[in-house]
Amino acid sequence: MRSLWVSLLTLVLAVSPAAVQASEIAEALTKLRASFARTAFSHFKAMPLHLRYDVEVGEVIRIQDEQRLFESAKCYPGLEIEEDSTTESVSVSLSRKSAVALGLGGSASVYGIPASAEAQFNRNVRRSVQSVLVRTSLAYPMAGAIELVSPTADSADCEALFPPASIPMGPGLLVSSVFTGKLITQQAIDSEIAAGIDASAKLTPRGLPVKVTGEVDASTSTTSVIAHLRPEGSIAVQSAFISRRALMDYYALAQNNLETWAELEALIDSYISGEEPGLLADIKKEIWSLWERLDQPEESLTRYRERLFASEDADFVEKAADLDVPEEAWDRIGDVAAAEVIVTTTIAE
C-alpha cells in the first residue's frame, strides 16, 4: 500500500506548476505534517500517521516506521469492529504559499474567476487559505479497548504484546482505534466575487484532479471554495496502552517552563504559517536551542512516541480508557510531535 504522505507528494509533483521547485514542495509537505501532528494529538488524542493509511484495529504497528508487525487477525481472530461515521471538520494551519506548493491552493484563473476580480480574490485567499481534515469515520472494537487486553489467538507472539516494548521487532503500538478522514483546503471568497465566477466552471479548478464545491455563509456573505485533494484513508491511531508517566512528564515540563514553552509554540507557528522558504535549518537550530534551555536530552524529543506508546516502565503503562490526565497534556504532546517532525526532516537543496 502506498504511503499517505509519499502518495500525496507524488500527486503534488504531478499537478504543481513547473515553477514550484521540489524543495519548496518538500518543505510545504513538512509544514503540513508538522501542523497535522500537533492537531492529531491535541484534537484526536491519537498518534498521527505519516506513512501508511490502511491501518486496522487490533494490529500492531512499529512506531519508528509505522509498518505492520502483526495483522489484527493473527492475535484477534473474529474481532468485531464498530464504526462511527460522524463527520467533523478540523482545521490544520498552513500558509498560503505552502498550500499552493502542495496543489491545495490556486489562482483566480484556476477557479474560473474573471480577471477583473482576480486581485481581490488573491488578497482574500492569501488571508484565508487553510487546510481542513474531515473525519469521516472512527473504528474501534465493539466491546471497547478492553477487548484487546486478552488476545484470542493461541500464539506466543501474541502473548508478548504487553507491554508493547517487549516486541522483539522494535517498539510497537497496539492499535485500539483508527481515525479515517481526508484532507481538503478551504478558501473564503467574498460573495460578490463568487457571483462573478463562470457558472460553467462550477468552481472546478482547471487541470487539477480535485473536486471543488461552493458553500455560502449567510452570516458573513462569503463563499467557501472547498477543494478535495487527499483520498480518504487512515489519518491517526489511538493506542490500547499509554505511558501516563511519559505524557505527564511532557506536561510538567511545559507547566514548569511556561515562558520557554511559549517560545517553542511561537517558533513552530511561525514556521508552519511563514511564507519565506529555506528556513528549515535555522528553525531546527532554534528548536534545539530551546530544548537545551528546557534541560532535556535530545532523545526525549525524537523518541517521544516510543516513550509514550512503548514504555518499558510497566508500572506507569495504563489502559488508554482508564487514563486520567489534564486535557492540556495532549496539547503539549502535540507541540512535541510538531517539533519532532521539523527537527527530523531533511530537505535536499
Side-chain angles (χ1 to χ4, degrees):
M1 180 62 68
R2 293 164 60 189
S3 66
L4 187 163
W5 298 107
V6 171
S7 59
L8 173 59
L9 181 57
T10 301
L11 176 59
V12 167
L13 288 171
V15 303
S16 298
V20 179
Q21 299 297 316
S23 61
E24 292 181 34
I25 297 173
E27 187 158 359
L29 185 57
T30 296
K31 293 181 178 183
L32 180 59
R33 289 181 61 217
S35 184
F36 172 56
R38 183 164 52 179
T39 299
F41 279 109
S42 62
H43 188 85
F44 297 117
K45 297 180 182 176
M47 188 182 86
L49 293 174
H50 296 313
L51 298 179
R52 301 173 55 238
Y53 54 94
D54 62 341
V55 182
E56 297 180 359
V57 173
E59 72 180 30
V60 177
I61 62 175
R62 185 165 50 210
I63 291 175
Q64 292 178 345
D65 57 13
E66 299 172 21
Q67 298 301 309
R68 180 187 287 114
L69 297 181
F70 295 119
E71 294 183 357
S72 178
K74 178 173 182 177
C75 297
Y76 304 97
L79 182 66
E80 295 186 26
I81 305 301
E82 185 82 13
E83 289 196 8
D84 178 359
S85 58
T86 302
T87 299
E88 177 183 8
S89 296
V90 181
S91 296
V92 179
S93 300
L94 194 66
S95 69
R96 177 183 183 274
K97 185 169 184 177
S98 293
V100 172
L102 288 173
L104 294 171
S107 65
S109 59
V110 167
Y111 291 98
I113 292 177
S116 59
E118 185 169 353
Q120 187 175 351
F121 170 87
N122 287 333
R123 282 197 299 271
N124 286 350
V125 170
R126 184 171 288 110
R127 291 195 303 268
S128 64
V129 165
Q130 64 177 336
S131 296
V132 180
L133 285 165
V134 178
R135 193 188 86 196
T136 56
S137 66
L138 168 62
Y140 51 89
M142 290 189 67
I146 189 67
E147 189 172 359
L148 302 177
V149 173
S150 302
T152 52
D154 184 13
S155 168
D157 289 333
C158 297
E159 292 175 0
L161 290 183
F162 315 104
S166 64
I167 298 173
M169 289 174 281
L173 180 153
L174 176 58
V175 178
S176 63
S177 59
V178 179
F179 291 92
T180 300
K182 52 190 169 183
L183 179 68
I184 63 177
T185 185
Q186 182 168 287
Q187 305 171 3
I189 304 174
D190 185 274
S191 58
E192 293 182 2
I193 298 178
I197 295 177
D198 182 2
S200 63
K202 296 182 181 179
L203 296 178
T204 301
R206 298 169 181 174
L208 298 181
V210 296
K211 176 184 177 183
V212 176
T213 58
E215 299 177 1
V216 178
D217 184 340
S219 63
T220 59
S221 298
T222 60
T223 293
S224 292
V225 174
I226 304 176
H228 301 259
L229 175 65
R230 214 211 81 189
E232 185 173 318
S234 301
I235 58 175
V237 294
Q238 289 180 331
S239 173
F241 296 92
I242 294 177
S243 169
R244 175 171 51 87
R245 174 178 229 171
L247 187 61
M248 292 305 295
D249 279 351
Y250 289 109
Y251 174 65
L253 179 64
Q255 295 304 106
N256 294 332
N257 300 273
L258 292 176
E259 184 175 331
T260 302
W261 200 270
E263 289 184 46
L264 177 64
E265 291 179 318
L267 184 61
I268 294 171
D269 283 334
S270 68
Y271 177 67
I272 291 173
S273 61
E275 300 289 350
E276 189 176 350
L279 296 179
L280 183 59
D282 292 337
I283 295 294
K284 283 185 183 182
K285 291 179 182 178
E286 291 185 54
I287 289 177
W288 283 128
S289 177
L290 290 172
W291 206 246
E292 288 179 3
R293 280 170 52 187
L294 291 168
D295 195 26
Q296 291 296 301
E298 288 190 7
E299 66 176 16
S300 66
L301 174 60
T302 58
R303 296 186 60 207
Y304 80 93
R305 292 178 299 171
E306 285 88 339
R307 292 191 64 211
L308 192 62
F309 298 114
S311 174
E312 296 179 355
D313 195 344
D315 290 341
F316 291 92
V317 174
E318 298 184 5
K319 293 190 287 291
D322 298 334
L323 200 65
D324 183 19
V325 299
E327 288 291 319
E328 293 83 359
W330 294 102
D331 296 334
R332 303 294 78 81
I333 282 292
D335 296 332
V336 173
E340 187 267 346
V341 169
I342 294 170
V343 301
T344 59
T345 296
T346 300
I347 297 177
E349 295 296 335

